[in-house]
Coordinates of all heavy atoms in Angstrom, one line a residue:
I233 N 10.8 11.1 -23.9 CA 10.6 9.7 -23.5 C 11.9 9.0 -23.7 O 12.6 9.2 -24.8 CB 9.5 9.1 -24.3 CG1 8.1 9.7 -23.9 CG2 9.5 7.5 -24.1 CD1 7.0 9.1 -24.7
I234 N 12.3 8.2 -22.7 CA 13.5 7.4 -22.8 C 13.1 5.9 -22.9 O 12.3 5.5 -22.1 CB 14.5 7.6 -21.7 CG1 15.1 9.0 -21.9 CG2 15.6 6.6 -21.6 CD1 16.1 9.4 -20.7
R235 N 13.8 5.1 -23.7 CA 13.7 3.7 -23.7 C 15.0 3.0 -23.3 O 16.0 3.3 -23.9 CB 13.2 3.2 -25.1 CG 11.9 3.7 -25.6 CD 11.4 3.0 -26.9 NE 10.1 3.6 -27.2 CZ 8.9 3.2 -26.8 NH1 8.9 2.1 -26.0 NH2 7.9 3.7 -27.2
I236 N 14.9 2.2 -22.3 CA 16.0 1.4 -21.9 C 16.0 0.1 -22.7 O 15.1 -0.7 -22.7 CB 16.0 1.1 -20.4 CG1 16.0 2.4 -19.6 CG2 17.2 0.2 -20.0 CD1 15.9 2.2 -18.1
M237 N 17.1 -0.1 -23.5 CA 17.2 -1.1 -24.5 C 17.9 -2.4 -24.0 O 17.8 -3.4 -24.6 CB 18.0 -0.6 -25.7 CG 17.5 0.8 -26.2 SD 15.8 0.9 -26.7 CE 15.8 -0.1 -28.1
G238 N 18.6 -2.3 -22.9 CA 19.2 -3.5 -22.4 C 20.2 -3.2 -21.2 O 20.4 -2.0 -20.8
I239 N 20.7 -4.2 -20.6 CA 21.6 -4.1 -19.5 C 22.8 -5.1 -19.8 O 22.6 -6.2 -20.4 CB 20.9 -4.5 -18.2 CG1 21.9 -4.3 -17.0 CG2 20.3 -5.9 -18.2 CD1 21.2 -4.4 -15.7
E240 N 24.0 -4.7 -19.5 CA 25.1 -5.6 -19.8 C 26.2 -5.5 -18.7 O 26.3 -4.5 -18.0 CB 25.8 -5.2 -21.1 CG 26.3 -3.7 -21.1 CD 26.8 -3.3 -22.5 OE1 26.4 -3.9 -23.5 OE2 27.7 -2.4 -22.5
C241 N 26.8 -6.6 -18.4 CA 27.9 -6.7 -17.5 C 29.1 -6.1 -18.1 O 29.4 -6.4 -19.3 CB 28.1 -8.2 -17.1 SG 29.6 -8.5 -16.1
V242 N 29.9 -5.3 -17.4 CA 31.0 -4.6 -18.0 C 32.3 -5.4 -18.0 O 33.2 -5.0 -18.7 CB 31.2 -3.2 -17.4 CG1 30.0 -2.4 -17.6 CG2 31.5 -3.4 -15.9
D243 N 32.4 -6.4 -17.1 CA 33.6 -7.2 -17.0 C 33.5 -8.6 -17.4 O 34.4 -9.4 -17.2 CB 34.3 -7.0 -15.6 CG 33.3 -7.4 -14.5 OD1 32.2 -8.0 -14.9 OD2 33.5 -7.1 -13.4
G244 N 32.3 -9.0 -17.9 CA 32.1 -10.4 -18.3 C 32.1 -11.4 -17.2 O 32.2 -12.6 -17.5
A245 N 31.9 -11.0 -16.0 CA 31.9 -11.9 -14.8 C 30.6 -12.7 -14.7 O 30.6 -13.7 -14.0 CB 32.2 -11.1 -13.5
F246 N 29.5 -12.2 -15.3 CA 28.3 -12.9 -15.2 C 27.4 -12.4 -16.4 O 27.7 -11.4 -17.1 CB 27.6 -12.6 -13.9 CG 27.4 -11.1 -13.6 CD1 26.2 -10.5 -14.1 CD2 28.3 -10.4 -13.0 CE1 26.0 -9.1 -13.8 CE2 28.2 -9.0 -12.8 CZ 27.0 -8.4 -13.2
D247 N 26.4 -13.2 -16.7 CA 25.4 -12.9 -17.7 C 24.2 -12.2 -17.0 O 23.7 -12.7 -16.0 CB 25.0 -14.2 -18.5 CG 26.0 -14.6 -19.4 OD1 27.0 -13.9 -19.7 OD2 25.9 -15.8 -19.8
V248 N 23.7 -11.2 -17.7 CA 22.6 -10.5 -17.1 C 21.6 -10.1 -18.2 O 22.0 -9.7 -19.3 CB 23.1 -9.2 -16.3 CG1 23.9 -8.3 -17.2 CG2 21.9 -8.5 -15.7
V249 N 20.3 -10.3 -17.9 CA 19.3 -9.9 -18.9 C 18.1 -9.2 -18.2 O 17.9 -9.4 -17.0 CB 18.7 -11.1 -19.6 CG1 19.8 -11.8 -20.5 CG2 18.2 -12.1 -18.6
M250 N 17.4 -8.3 -18.9 CA 16.3 -7.7 -18.3 C 15.2 -8.8 -18.0 O 15.0 -9.6 -18.9 CB 15.8 -6.6 -19.2 CG 16.7 -5.4 -19.3 SD 16.3 -4.1 -20.5 CE 14.7 -3.6 -19.9
A251 N 14.5 -8.6 -16.9 CA 13.7 -9.7 -16.4 C 12.3 -9.7 -17.0 O 11.6 -10.7 -17.1 CB 13.6 -9.7 -14.9
A252 N 11.8 -8.5 -17.4 CA 10.4 -8.4 -17.9 C 10.4 -8.4 -19.4 O 10.3 -9.4 -20.1 CB 9.8 -7.2 -17.3
K253 N 10.5 -7.2 -20.0 CA 10.4 -7.0 -21.5 C 11.8 -6.7 -22.0 O 12.7 -6.3 -21.3 CB 9.5 -5.8 -21.8 CG 8.1 -6.0 -21.3 CD 7.2 -4.9 -21.7 CE 5.7 -5.1 -21.3 NZ 4.9 -3.9 -21.7
P254 N 12.0 -6.8 -23.3 CA 13.3 -6.5 -23.9 C 13.7 -5.0 -23.7 O 14.8 -4.7 -23.8 CB 13.1 -6.8 -25.4 CG 11.9 -7.8 -25.4 CD 11.1 -7.4 -24.3
S255 N 12.6 -4.2 -23.5 CA 12.9 -2.8 -23.3 C 11.8 -2.2 -22.5 O 10.7 -2.7 -22.4 CB 13.0 -2.0 -24.6 OG 11.7 -2.0 -25.3
I256 N 12.1 -1.1 -21.7 CA 11.0 -0.4 -21.0 C 11.1 1.0 -21.3 O 12.1 1.6 -21.7 CB 11.1 -0.7 -19.5 CG1 12.3 0.1 -18.9 CG2 11.1 -2.1 -19.1 CD1 12.3 0.1 -17.3
Q257 N 10.0 1.7 -21.1 CA 9.8 3.1 -21.5 C 9.6 4.0 -20.2 O 8.9 3.6 -19.3 CB 8.6 3.3 -22.4 CG 8.2 4.7 -22.7 CD 7.0 4.8 -23.6 OE1 7.1 4.4 -24.7 NE2 5.9 5.4 -23.1
L258 N 10.3 5.1 -20.2 CA 10.1 6.1 -19.1 C 9.7 7.4 -19.6 O 10.3 8.0 -20.5 CB 11.4 6.3 -18.3 CG 11.8 5.2 -17.4 CD1 12.8 4.2 -18.1 CD2 12.5 5.7 -16.1
S259 N 8.5 7.9 -19.1 CA 8.1 9.2 -19.5 C 9.0 10.3 -18.8 O 9.6 10.0 -17.8 CB 6.6 9.4 -19.2 OG 5.8 8.6 -20.0
P260 N 9.0 11.5 -19.3 CA 9.8 12.6 -18.6 C 9.3 12.7 -17.1 O 8.1 12.8 -16.8 CB 9.4 13.8 -19.4 CG 9.1 13.3 -20.7 CD 8.4 12.0 -20.5

Side-chain angles (χ1 to χ4, degrees):
I233 291 175
I234 287 177
R235 294 187 183 275
I236 299 179
M237 315 298 291
I239 182 172
E240 61 184 28
C241 174
V242 296
D243 55 13
F246 56 91
D247 287 345
V248 58
V249 294
M250 291 173 61
K253 297 181 178 180
S255 66
I256 70 166
Q257 172 183 296
L258 285 93
S259 292

